[in-house]
């Protein structure tokens, strides 16, 4: 599941493979850009911004992509078999003399002038892995709506950029509160430490192939994806339920013993199989 650390890794792979090189192949398999040909242009860089990727080319052109839930950029050497999925899932191909970057299942793919990038990322809050990181501003954003559930506030990329559903659940566990706790009810000492904790989790994992928050051998995550297995601390079965404001509904995991605060409303789905289908939401 792509989150800030995953996107950072994807940007690094693209940058290392393409930056400073001239494209010998370009292929965009979406109707709007099917005729775009960047062959002969040099790639300047690829930069992550929250969960967004910005690949810049000479001539002031930027390719904006977003991985959403299932997208991925894969990089292959000359003659290497492409293994990112079936051909019909390919949305973009960027090739140089020795490397080919292939974008699979990209839910967002668009071109814009480099000087207009703020149009697609200007709404984002401070980036946990970016040069604009500002912990005071991030915390102020999170607490600006004190009645909003903390889990929803953490997922809102306008507050701080880079947290997805995995880190939302893990952060709430490490803070000892449920994701349904109103953000304004988070104890002052824990609220003060939240930005640094979130940044430490993403920075620790941006160079790892497998995300880990526990520091334990063979136990990568505290609660995410663990229902109904026992909590690693207290052995209470981990629970899962949907959380969202209607525009984003995500499976949310928590330990009812280790985490204090409100639980889902009666009647809310309590396990993965009960979850209702959801419509795609816009990128954040």
């Amino acid at each position: 599941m792509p989150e800030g650390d995953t996107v950072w890794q994807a940007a690094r792979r693209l940058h290392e493979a393409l930056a400073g090189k001239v494209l010998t192949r370009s292929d965009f398999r979406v109707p709007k850009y099917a005729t775009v040909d960047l062959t002969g242009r040099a790639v300047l860089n690829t930069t992550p911004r929250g969960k967004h990727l910005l690949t810049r080319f000479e001539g002031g052109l930027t390719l904006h992509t977003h991985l959403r839930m299932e997208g991925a950029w894969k990089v292959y050497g000359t003659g290497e078999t492409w293994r990112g999925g079936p051909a019909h899932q390919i949305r973009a191909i960027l090739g140089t003399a020795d490397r080919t970057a292939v974008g699979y299942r990209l839910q967002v793919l668009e071109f814009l002038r480099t000087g207009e990038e703020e149009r697609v990322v200007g709404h984002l809050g401070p980036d946990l892995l970016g040069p604009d990181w500002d912990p005071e501003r991030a915390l102020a954003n999170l607490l600006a709506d004190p009645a909003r559930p903390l889990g929803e506030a953490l997922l809102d990329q306008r507050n701080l950029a880079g947290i997805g559903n995995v880190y939302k659940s893990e952060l709430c566990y490490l803070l000892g509160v449920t994701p349904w706790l109103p953000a304004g009810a988070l104890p002052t000492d824990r609220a003060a430490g939240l930005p640094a904790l979130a940044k430490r989790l993403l920075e620790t994992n941006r160079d790892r192939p497998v995300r880990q928050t526990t520091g334990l051998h063979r136990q990568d995550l505290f609660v995410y994806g663990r229902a109904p297995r026992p909590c690693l601390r207290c052995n209470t079965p981990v629970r899962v339920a949907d959380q969202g404001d209607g525009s984003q509904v995500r499976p949310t995991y928590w330990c009812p013993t280790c985490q204090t605060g409100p639980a889902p409303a009666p009647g809310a789905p309590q396990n993965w199989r009960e979850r209702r289908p959801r419509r795609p939401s816009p990128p954040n």
Side-chain angles (χ1 to χ4, degrees), residues 122-143:
H123 65 289
L124 298 174
D127 188 341
L128 282 154
L129 295 179
D132 68 319
W133 174 241
D134 182 338
E136 289 79 16
R137 181 181 158 211
L139 182 58
N141 290 345
L142 286 169
L143 300 180

Side-chain angles (χ1 to χ4, degrees), residues 41-258:
R41 289 204 194 206
V43 181
L44 302 181
N45 56 66
T46 295
T47 299
R49 182 72 172 86
K51 300 181 188 179
H52 299 249
L53 287 163
L54 302 170
T55 300
R56 303 180 180 112
F57 306 91
E58 65 177 350
L61 189 65
T62 294
L63 172 64
H64 167 227
T65 57
H66 194 293
L67 304 181
R68 291 285 287 275
M69 296 294 289
E70 299 180 348
W73 276 102
K74 303 290 186 179
V75 175
Y76 304 104
T78 303
E80 187 177 356
T81 301
W82 296 1
R83 302 177 303 277
H88 73 266
Q89 294 181 347
I90 295 174
R91 297 293 176 266
I93 301 172
L94 298 172
T96 68
D98 62 346
R99 292 287 186 274
T100 301
V102 185
Y104 292 89
R105 300 171 298 278
L106 301 175
Q107 297 299 304
V108 174
L109 187 158
E110 64 177 333
F111 285 98
L112 63 155
R113 305 307 303 178
T114 300
E116 299 175 352
E117 289 176 356
E118 285 298 293
R119 177 169 61 82
V120 295
V121 296
H123 65 289
L124 298 174
D127 188 341
L128 282 154
L129 295 179
D132 68 319
W133 174 241
D134 182 338
E136 289 79 16
R137 181 181 158 211
L139 182 58
N141 290 345
L142 286 169
L143 300 180
D145 184 354
R148 190 177 191 186
L150 180 61
E152 293 180 19
L154 288 170
L155 277 187
D156 191 336
Q157 303 298 294
R158 296 170 297 183
N159 291 334
L160 69 171
I163 291 178
N165 207 40
V166 176
Y167 283 120
K168 175 195 78 172
S169 295
E170 295 295 294
L171 274 168
C172 287
Y173 180 84
L174 290 168
L175 291 168
V177 299
T178 71
W180 291 270
L181 181 81
L186 185 64
T188 302
D189 59 333
R190 284 180 253 183
L194 190 161
L197 176 60
K199 184 174 179 61
R200 184 163 67 251
L201 286 180
L202 267 71
E203 283 189 333
T204 299
N205 284 288
R206 69 182 183 185
D207 294 316
R208 287 178 172 171
V210 177
R211 184 180 293 134
Q212 192 191 67
T213 61
T214 66
L216 302 174
H217 181 57
R218 294 185 178 180
Q219 299 289 355
D220 296 325
L221 302 174
F222 281 111
V223 289
Y224 188 86
R226 288 187 53 83
R229 287 178 287 170
C231 171
L232 296 176
R233 286 178 175 168
C234 72
N235 288 324
T236 301
V238 172
R239 300 180 67 185
V240 59
D242 281 344
Q243 182 182 34
D245 58 5
S247 62
Q248 285 190 333
V249 179
R250 298 288 186 264
T252 299
Y253 298 83
W254 81 104
C255 172
T257 299
C258 293

